[in-house]
Amino acid sequence: MNQGKLIVLSAPSGSGKTTLVKHLLHKEELNLGFSISAASREPRGAEVHGKDYYFLSLREFKDKIKADEFLEWEEVYRDNFYGTLKSEVHRLWDSGKHVIFDIDVVGGLDIKRIYPDRTLAIFIKPPSIEELKIRLKKRKTESEDKINMRVAKASTEMATAPQFDAIVTNDDLEKAQEEVYQLVKKFLLG
Ligand code: 5GP
Protein backbone atom coordinates (compact mmCIF):
# COMPACT_ATOMS: atom_id res chain seq x y z
CA MET A 1 0.00 0.00 0.00
CA ASN A 2 1.15 3.49 -0.73
CA GLN A 3 2.40 5.35 2.33
CA GLY A 4 2.31 8.84 0.86
CA LYS A 5 1.03 11.63 3.07
CA LEU A 6 -0.63 14.94 2.29
CA ILE A 7 0.33 18.43 3.42
CA VAL A 8 -2.26 21.14 2.92
CA LEU A 9 -1.47 24.85 3.20
CA SER A 10 -4.62 26.92 2.97
CA ALA A 11 -5.15 30.62 3.39
CA PRO A 12 -6.94 33.64 2.01
CA SER A 13 -5.43 34.83 -1.29
CA GLY A 14 -2.44 37.09 -0.58
CA SER A 15 -1.46 35.50 2.74
CA GLY A 16 1.88 34.36 1.38
CA LYS A 17 1.11 30.66 1.34
CA THR A 18 2.65 30.14 -2.10
CA THR A 19 5.99 31.46 -0.79
CA LEU A 20 5.77 29.06 2.15
CA VAL A 21 4.95 26.12 -0.13
CA LYS A 22 8.01 26.93 -2.28
CA HIS A 23 10.15 27.06 0.84
CA LEU A 24 9.02 23.56 1.85
CA LEU A 25 9.57 22.20 -1.67
CA HIS A 26 13.23 23.24 -1.43
CA LYS A 27 13.73 21.02 1.63
CA GLU A 28 14.83 17.77 0.00
CA GLU A 29 14.59 15.72 3.19
CA LEU A 30 10.82 16.30 3.23
CA ASN A 31 10.47 14.61 -0.18
CA LEU A 32 7.49 16.70 -1.23
CA GLY A 33 5.89 16.98 -4.64
CA PHE A 34 3.63 19.89 -5.55
CA SER A 35 0.05 19.04 -6.46
CA ILE A 36 -0.61 20.95 -9.66
CA SER A 37 -4.26 21.97 -9.58
CA ALA A 38 -6.55 22.31 -12.54
CA ALA A 39 -8.01 25.81 -13.03
CA SER A 40 -10.47 27.34 -15.45
CA ARG A 41 -8.99 30.83 -15.27
CA GLU A 42 -6.51 32.38 -17.69
CA PRO A 43 -2.78 32.13 -16.90
CA ARG A 44 -1.48 35.16 -14.99
CA GLY A 45 1.95 36.75 -15.61
CA ALA A 46 4.63 34.10 -16.06
CA GLU A 47 2.45 31.14 -15.07
CA VAL A 48 3.06 27.98 -17.06
CA HIS A 49 0.60 25.22 -17.99
CA GLY A 50 1.58 21.95 -16.32
CA LYS A 51 3.77 23.71 -13.78
CA ASP A 52 1.65 26.25 -11.90
CA TYR A 53 -1.72 24.87 -12.99
CA TYR A 54 -3.29 22.70 -15.62
CA PHE A 55 -5.21 25.48 -17.34
CA LEU A 56 -8.48 24.12 -18.71
CA SER A 57 -11.39 25.75 -20.48
CA LEU A 58 -14.61 25.97 -18.50
CA ARG A 59 -15.99 23.25 -20.74
CA GLU A 60 -13.05 20.91 -20.19
CA PHE A 61 -13.25 21.48 -16.45
CA LYS A 62 -16.95 20.66 -16.31
CA ASP A 63 -16.42 17.51 -18.40
CA LYS A 64 -13.86 16.31 -15.87
CA ILE A 65 -16.30 16.97 -13.01
CA LYS A 66 -18.86 14.80 -14.80
CA ALA A 67 -16.30 12.06 -15.35
CA ASP A 68 -15.54 12.08 -11.59
CA GLU A 69 -11.87 12.87 -12.21
CA PHE A 70 -11.53 15.27 -9.26
CA LEU A 71 -10.65 14.48 -5.66
CA GLU A 72 -12.10 17.89 -4.80
CA TRP A 73 -13.12 20.87 -6.88
CA GLU A 74 -14.70 24.22 -6.23
CA GLU A 75 -15.92 27.36 -7.93
CA VAL A 76 -13.59 29.59 -5.91
CA TYR A 77 -14.69 32.75 -7.73
CA ARG A 78 -17.52 33.05 -10.22
CA ASP A 79 -16.72 30.92 -13.29
CA ASN A 80 -13.25 30.32 -11.89
CA PHE A 81 -13.15 26.64 -11.05
CA TYR A 82 -10.20 25.05 -9.28
CA GLY A 83 -9.68 21.43 -8.36
CA THR A 84 -7.34 18.59 -7.55
CA LEU A 85 -7.29 15.77 -10.07
CA LYS A 86 -7.17 12.27 -8.57
CA SER A 87 -4.56 11.41 -11.21
CA GLU A 88 -2.29 14.19 -9.89
CA VAL A 89 -2.15 12.81 -6.34
CA HIS A 90 -1.50 9.29 -7.66
CA ARG A 91 1.21 10.58 -10.00
CA LEU A 92 3.09 12.00 -6.99
CA TRP A 93 2.48 9.04 -4.70
CA ASP A 94 3.62 6.66 -7.44
CA SER A 95 6.87 8.62 -7.70
CA GLY A 96 7.41 8.00 -3.97
CA LYS A 97 6.67 11.54 -2.82
CA HIS A 98 4.43 13.12 -0.23
CA VAL A 99 2.01 15.62 -1.72
CA ILE A 100 1.81 19.32 -0.86
CA PHE A 101 -1.23 21.42 -1.76
CA ASP A 102 -1.55 25.18 -2.20
CA ILE A 103 -5.34 25.38 -2.19
CA ASP A 104 -8.20 27.36 -0.73
CA VAL A 105 -9.70 26.63 2.68
CA VAL A 106 -12.72 24.64 1.49
CA GLY A 107 -10.60 22.40 -0.73
CA GLY A 108 -8.04 22.01 2.04
CA LEU A 109 -10.66 20.86 4.52
CA ASP A 110 -12.11 18.49 1.89
CA ILE A 111 -8.73 16.79 1.53
CA LYS A 112 -8.49 16.50 5.32
CA ARG A 113 -11.96 14.91 5.40
CA ILE A 114 -11.10 12.43 2.65
CA TYR A 115 -7.73 11.42 4.17
CA PRO A 116 -8.03 12.37 7.87
CA ASP A 117 -5.00 10.43 9.14
CA ARG A 118 -2.67 11.02 6.22
CA THR A 119 -3.21 14.79 6.05
CA LEU A 120 -1.65 17.68 7.94
CA ALA A 121 -3.77 20.76 7.23
CA ILE A 122 -2.17 24.11 8.07
CA PHE A 123 -3.98 27.43 7.96
CA ILE A 124 -1.80 30.40 7.03
CA LYS A 125 -3.14 33.54 8.62
CA PRO A 126 -2.36 37.01 7.26
CA PRO A 127 -1.55 39.58 9.99
CA SER A 128 -4.81 41.43 9.17
CA ILE A 129 -7.37 41.97 6.41
CA GLU A 130 -5.90 45.47 5.86
CA GLU A 131 -2.44 44.01 5.32
CA LEU A 132 -3.91 41.46 2.92
CA LYS A 133 -5.38 44.24 0.81
CA ILE A 134 -2.04 46.06 0.71
CA ARG A 135 -0.25 42.86 -0.40
CA LEU A 136 -2.76 42.16 -3.16
CA LYS A 137 -2.42 45.74 -4.44
CA LYS A 138 1.37 45.46 -4.44
CA ARG A 139 1.19 42.24 -6.42
CA LYS A 140 -0.46 44.22 -9.24
CA THR A 141 -1.87 41.07 -10.82
CA GLU A 142 -5.57 41.74 -10.28
CA SER A 143 -7.95 44.59 -10.98
CA GLU A 144 -9.41 46.68 -8.13
CA ASP A 145 -12.68 44.73 -8.46
CA LYS A 146 -10.98 41.39 -8.19
CA ILE A 147 -8.96 42.57 -5.20
CA ASN A 148 -12.15 43.63 -3.41
CA MET A 149 -13.73 40.28 -4.19
CA ARG A 150 -10.72 38.41 -2.76
CA VAL A 151 -10.66 40.62 0.36
CA ALA A 152 -14.38 40.08 1.00
CA LYS A 153 -13.89 36.33 0.73
CA ALA A 154 -10.93 36.46 3.11
CA SER A 155 -13.12 37.38 6.10
CA THR A 156 -15.21 34.22 5.65
CA GLU A 157 -12.10 32.14 5.11
CA MET A 158 -10.52 33.40 8.34
CA ALA A 159 -13.45 31.93 10.27
CA THR A 160 -12.49 28.39 9.17
CA ALA A 161 -9.04 28.55 10.78
CA PRO A 162 -9.98 26.57 13.95
CA GLN A 163 -10.91 23.54 11.80
CA PHE A 164 -7.28 23.11 10.71
CA ASP A 165 -4.63 21.01 12.48
CA ALA A 166 -2.42 24.07 12.96
CA ILE A 167 -2.49 27.84 12.43
CA VAL A 168 0.61 29.81 11.43
CA THR A 169 0.51 33.60 11.32
CA ASN A 170 2.54 35.05 8.48
CA ASP A 171 3.60 38.43 9.85
CA ASP A 172 7.33 37.64 9.77
CA LEU A 173 8.19 35.48 6.74
CA GLU A 174 11.31 33.83 8.17
CA LYS A 175 9.55 32.93 11.37
CA ALA A 176 6.55 31.55 9.47
CA GLN A 177 8.86 29.52 7.21
CA GLU A 178 10.58 27.93 10.19
CA GLU A 179 7.30 27.25 11.98
CA VAL A 180 5.76 25.55 8.95
CA TYR A 181 8.95 23.54 8.33
CA GLN A 182 8.99 22.21 11.90
CA LEU A 183 5.31 21.21 11.75
CA VAL A 184 5.74 19.38 8.45
CA LYS A 185 9.00 17.71 9.46
CA LYS A 186 7.43 16.37 12.64
CA PHE A 187 4.38 15.06 10.77
CA LEU A 188 6.37 13.36 8.00
CA LEU A 189 9.52 12.23 9.75
CA GLY A 190 8.32 11.92 13.35
P1 5GP B 1 -5.24 32.01 -7.73
O1 5GP B 1 -6.22 32.43 -8.78
O2 5GP B 1 -4.79 33.18 -6.89
O3 5GP B 1 -4.09 31.20 -8.26
O4 5GP B 1 -6.02 31.03 -6.74
C1 5GP B 1 -7.24 31.39 -6.21
C2 5GP B 1 -7.61 30.48 -5.09
O5 5GP B 1 -7.89 29.15 -5.55
C3 5GP B 1 -6.50 30.35 -4.07
O6 5GP B 1 -7.05 30.44 -2.76
C4 5GP B 1 -5.97 28.99 -4.35
O7 5GP B 1 -5.37 28.43 -3.22
C5 5GP B 1 -7.23 28.24 -4.72
N1 5GP B 1 -6.95 26.97 -5.38
C6 5GP B 1 -5.90 26.67 -6.18
N2 5GP B 1 -5.94 25.40 -6.55
C7 5GP B 1 -7.02 24.84 -5.95
C8 5GP B 1 -7.58 23.52 -5.95
O8 5GP B 1 -7.09 22.58 -6.54
N3 5GP B 1 -8.71 23.34 -5.23
C9 5GP B 1 -9.29 24.34 -4.55
N4 5GP B 1 -10.39 24.06 -3.86
N5 5GP B 1 -8.79 25.59 -4.52
C10 5GP B 1 -7.66 25.84 -5.21
Side-chain angles (χ1 to χ4, degrees):
M1 206 187 92
N2 193 299
Q3 294 302 305
K5 291 187 181 164
L6 305 119
I7 306 295
V8 168
L9 264 70
S10 291
S13 176
S15 306
K17 70 177 182 304
T18 304
T19 312
L20 293 171
V21 167
K22 287 193 176 139
H23 175 73
L24 292 172
L25 283 166
H26 280 122
K27 303 280 184 187
E28 277 180 25
E29 69 277 20
L30 298 178
N31 194 25
L32 292 167
F34 179 64
S35 166
I36 302 165
S37 296
S40 73
R41 71 160 169 74
E42 294 293 315
R44 210 165 48 199
E47 286 178 335
V48 176
H49 176 80
K51 178 169 170 271
D52 300 285
Y53 282 109
Y54 299 115
F55 293 103
L56 306 178
S57 68
L58 198 53
R59 181 62 196 269
E60 286 170 325
F61 201 105
K62 289 184 174 172
D63 284 348
K64 288 190 186 297
I65 294 175
K66 270 199 204 129
D68 194 27
E69 289 185 34
F70 286 104
L71 188 61
E72 61 79 34
W73 63 269
E74 211 203 330
E75 188 173 11
V76 178
Y77 307 105
R78 198 159 162 247
D79 274 347
N80 281 8
F81 287 73
Y82 296 82
T84 306
L85 290 160
K86 292 176 185 172
S87 57
E88 180 64 7
V89 172
H90 287 283
R91 176 180 76 82
L92 293 164
W93 279 346
D94 289 349
S95 72
K97 290 187 181 295
H98 301 296
V99 185
I100 185 162
F101 300 85
D102 174 352
I103 67 180
D104 91 316
V105 296
V106 178
L109 290 171
D110 278 346
I111 302 271
K112 177 76 190 171
R113 238 185 318 270
I114 298 166
Y115 295 108
D117 301 329
R118 293 167 88 170
T119 305
L120 173 70
I122 306 174
F123 186 89
I124 308 299
K125 205 168 156 188
S128 67
I129 296 281
E130 251 332 286
E131 177 63 25
L132 196 72
K133 198 164 183 176
I134 293 165
R135 287 187 195 175
L136 285 171
K137 278 192 176 161
K138 262 199 210 148
R139 198 158 86 175
K140 290 201 176 95
T141 48
E142 279 97 356
S143 64
E144 183 82 22
D145 258 13
K146 288 215 167 137
I147 289 176
N148 289 335
M149 191 167 79
R150 281 173 188 244
V151 170
K153 197 169 189 289
S155 308
T156 335
E157 290 170 330
M158 296 280 259
T160 67
Q163 295 176 55
F164 283 75
D165 297 316
I167 301 174
V168 170
T169 303
N170 189 10
D171 48 4
D172 172 335
L173 182 61
E174 268 183 35
K175 204 168 131 254
Q177 281 178 336
E178 184 56 22
E179 228 175 294
V180 164
Y181 172 66
Q182 291 301 337
L183 283 166
V184 173
K185 191 167 92 170
K186 187 159 172 247
F187 183 74
L188 294 181
L189 307 173

